Amino acid sequence: MKHFDAIIIGTGQAGPSLAARFAGAGKSVAIIERGKFGGTCVNTGCIPTKTLVASAYAAHVARRGGEYGFSNGDVRVDMKRVKARKDAVSGRSNKGVEEWLRGLEHCTVIQGHARFESPRTIVVNGEVLEADEIFINAGGRATVPAMPGIQDVPFLTNSSMMDVDFLPEHLVVVGGSYVGLEFGQIYRRFGSEVTIVEKGPRLIGREDEDVSQAVREILEAEGIQFRLNAKCISLGKRERRIAVGVDCEEVAPEVLGTHVLLAVGRTPNTHDMGLERAGVAIDDRGFIIVDDQLQTSVTGIWALGDCNGRGAFTHTSYNDYEIVADNLFNADHRRVSDRITAYALYTDPPLGRCGMTDAEIRKSGRRALTAKYPMSRVSRAFEKGETQGFIKITVDAETKQILGAAILGTGGDEVIHVLLDVMYAKAPYTVIQRAMHIHPTVAEYLPTVLSKLEPFV
Ligand SMILES: Cc1cc2nc3c(=O)[nH]c(=O)nc-3n(C[C@H](O)[C@H](O)[C@H](O)COP(=O)(O)OP(=O)(O)OC[C@H]3O[C@@H](n4cnc5c(N)ncnc54)[C@H](O)[C@@H]3O)c2cc1C
């Protein structure tokens, strides 16, 4: 039996950095990957989708050429070249992760499926490995719900979308949340007809209602169709088309498309790694239960990234790595509960979010002040011809600390960090009003927005 100081399962956004930390400290570490190095973000998530977002944006701007003073003829997207560009960007990161790991001294890279045999042993490729500490960074996969007709028709997920090198005539996206909206806009801009089917009464149901509404209007203006309140979604064949039964309150009971993308959430990869043999507890959705420092129910086993249900982003997974590594190597006391919610939706314009939503602020019962400012009054936005969206910031009326913000607009994914960093500093919002900002930027308007605070209701 081979013994290591540490074994890491999965090369997502936490595992490789943790392996490097162990190796750098002169400790022996084995890292096991059953699929592609770099996991979801690198191969089927953030990197390829944001590369596609960039292609779609370029096509969109080219179509608007007349507004900017140039003509570009009829803009047609060559999907084979779009895919080749995406593959090149994604492949560079995938290769980078693998080469980095293989080049680490004290690090053994193993390709294969890891299964626990006991709390300290893992079996991979028929070999038993033992370690004092084991770290699970197993990630997740697209949820494929047991909806009626799912066996009868071909469907796409975020993973199989990566192989698409043609233009679907009519893409029906099931799921009106982050992944579904990003793909919907990408393919609409490539030239597909797109319908997004959502079982809830509004898109991105976790966001504030005004955010959901504005995103819907932006996407509708580009020709995306929506079918909301689709209570009982089903799939079926109709000659050469796929029918998505929507059973919704709005108009016809089904949508006919040529391709269907399922974007209805993620399922953690925890079902096939023998967690029960190690005694690692999972919750009823399959997420590994962890404490505030990401230790599982078994001492010496940690779970990081999407598989622990404490975040579903690349930055939350990487932050998990930082928390675990700082606690183990720097005798720090970092905790998951210290982090502030932050993420972006990469539609165009993007939505940058930090802190609490309106509903959460209301539930907290605090006295708050809020301000909302249209992007159409931000000079950088109208100089760029990208005036959709708004900036909304809510602060605590007593402490003056920022409680939450949504920036839907050009640069929103970047500008949100100004607010996020002030939140981490636990500083009052008034420091933003004393800073000198650069002109012309979206960020320079934050003091203006904050000067308009009114009671939050
Ligand atoms: C379409 C899409 C777009 C996204 N866009 C963004 C974005 O813009 N920004 C953002 O922050 N997040 C985004 N995300 C989410 C982000 O990709 C994930 O949160 C991120 O990859 C974190 O994953 P992870 O570290 O938990 O593990 P993963 O990256 O999922 O990696 C887990 C790895 O473990 C391996 N593995 C699993 N089980 C075993 C086993 N038993 N043995 C060996 N290996 C195993 C898998 O093969 C995989 O490589 C997106 C996700 C999707 C689906």
Side-chain angles (χ1 to χ4, degrees):
M1 190 189 312
K2 275 196 191 149
H3 180 88
F4 294 90
D5 291 320
I7 293 175
I8 298 167
I9 302 172
T11 64
Q13 293 302 309
S17 299
L18 194 59
R21 194 73 173 253
F22 269 95
K27 292 178 182 273
S28 62
V29 55
I31 185 159
I32 309 167
E33 174 55 61
R34 70 176 179 192
K36 286 188 173 176
F37 286 89
T40 307
C41 180
V42 165
N43 300 293
T44 59
C46 347
I47 292 181
T49 55
K50 267 78 260 182
T51 309
L52 295 174
V53 164
S55 289
Y57 177 74
H60 178 68
V61 173
R63 280 193 197 102
R64 294 177 62 203
E67 292 174 44
Y68 295 95
F70 67 92
S71 54
N72 203 30
D74 182 20
V75 177
R76 278 177 197 276
V77 174
D78 179 341
M79 289 301 293
K80 290 205 166 30
R81 285 168 65 192
V82 166
K83 179 176 177 293
R85 178 175 184 273
K86 183 267 296 171
D87 288 345
V89 175
S90 199
R92 189 169 160 264
S93 300
N94 159 261
K95 201 164 157 239
V97 174
E98 179 169 5
E99 285 177 357
W100 176 39
L101 289 172
R102 291 199 188 279
L104 291 173
E105 212 185 332
H106 310 298
C107 178
T108 303
V109 177
I110 302 169
Q111 283 187 273
H113 180 94
R115 279 193 183 78
F116 279 90
E117 205 188 54
S118 78
R120 292 287 168 269
T121 54
I122 297 285
V123 180
V124 56
N125 302 332
E127 195 178 2
V128 182
L129 314 178
E130 185 192 46
D132 307 330
E133 292 171 332
I134 299 179
F135 302 87
I136 308 167
N137 179 214
R141 61 190 185 282
T143 300
V144 177
M147 59 174 66
I150 190 97
Q151 328 283 13
D152 308 332
V153 297
F155 59 83
L156 294 155
T157 65
N158 71 288
S159 298
S160 49
M161 282 302 277
M162 296 300 123
D163 300 325
V164 172
D165 64 354
F166 57 90
L167 193 65
E169 192 184 321
H170 184 170
L171 180 66
V172 182
V173 181
V174 179
S177 200
Y178 309 91
V179 171
L181 297 187
E182 288 182 10
F183 274 116
Q185 189 183 41
I186 290 167
Y187 274 83
R188 179 67 194 140
R189 288 181 168 190
F190 286 164
S192 296
E193 196 181 328
V194 172
T195 305
I196 297 181
V197 173
E198 164 57 45
K199 73 173 185 319
R202 61 186 174 94
L203 303 176
I204 35 173
R206 264 180 251 134
E207 301 300 333
D208 299 340
E209 286 186 29
D210 53 355
V211 171
S212 292
Q213 183 57 28
V215 169
R216 178 177 177 168
E217 285 166 14
I218 288 166
L219 298 177
E220 262 173 352
E222 292 189 21
I224 295 178
Q225 311 220 23
F226 292 101
R227 299 297 298 272
L228 304 180
N229 294 307
K231 298 284 178 246
C232 304
I233 301 171
S234 62
L235 302 178
K237 264 197 185 136
R238 299 285 180 279
E239 293 176 358
R240 293 174 61 208
R241 299 246 152 190
I242 297 170
V244 180
V246 292
D247 185 28
C248 51
E249 289 150 23
E250 297 174 29
V251 284
E254 58 182 36
V255 178
L256 288 184
T258 53
H259 296 82
V260 174
L261 164 65
L262 296 182
V264 290
R266 309 278 299 163
T267 301
N269 292 327
T270 53
H271 62 296
D272 56 359
M273 55 169 33
L275 289 175
E276 62 293 343
R277 268 180 256 145
V280 172
I282 56 174
D283 69 15
D284 53 4
R285 292 183 304 154
F287 290 107
I288 298 173
I289 298 169
V290 289
D291 65 16
D292 213 11
Q293 298 196 320
L294 301 168
Q295 189 143 205
T296 67
S297 54
V298 178
T299 307
I301 304 180
W302 284 258
L304 303 86
D306 290 9
C307 67
N308 67 23
R310 304 291 289 267
F313 298 99
T314 281
H315 45 276
T316 48
S317 180
Y318 188 77
N319 187 242
D320 283 359
Y321 145 69
E322 292 178 318
I323 291 168
V324 168
D326 275 354
N327 291 339
L328 288 176
F329 290 97
N330 300 340
D332 209 336
H333 291 96
R334 292 185 66 170
R335 293 169 306 180
V336 184
S337 53
D338 288 338
R339 78 180 167 214
I340 298 167
T341 301
Y343 54 86
L345 161 70
Y346 288 93
T347 48
D348 171 44
L351 167 71
R353 275 271 303 113
C354 67
M356 293 195 258
T357 60
D358 284 356
E360 287 165 343
I361 293 168
R362 219 165 272 130
K363 200 170 159 203
S364 77
R366 293 161 206 255
R367 209 161 60 78
L369 302 171
T370 192
K372 194 168 160 184
Y373 196 80
M375 291 300 287
S376 57
R377 290 174 63 191
V378 172
S379 64
R380 187 68 204 275
F382 58 74
E383 285 149 13
K384 291 172 80 176
E386 299 181 349
T387 53
Q388 293 161 314
F390 56 79
I391 299 172
K392 184 168 67 171
I393 309 173
T394 306
V395 305
D396 188 297
E398 266 101 60
T399 65
K400 295 190 167 42
Q401 288 184 10
I402 298 163
L403 295 174
I407 305 183
L408 175 66
T410 184
D413 52 329
E414 300 286 352
V415 180
I416 198 76
H417 289 89
V418 174
L419 303 170
L420 185 61
D421 289 344
V422 170
M423 290 172 83
Y424 271 106
K426 295 191 174 18
Y429 72 82
T430 46
V431 296
I432 297 174
Q433 294 175 308
R434 293 177 70 88
M436 182 186 75
H437 294 106
I438 296 166
H439 173 75
T441 58
V442 176
E444 72 175 329
Y445 277 80
L446 295 178
T448 309
V449 180
L450 287 164
S451 71
K452 299 185 181 308
L453 290 168
E454 289 176 351
F456 172 88
V457 278

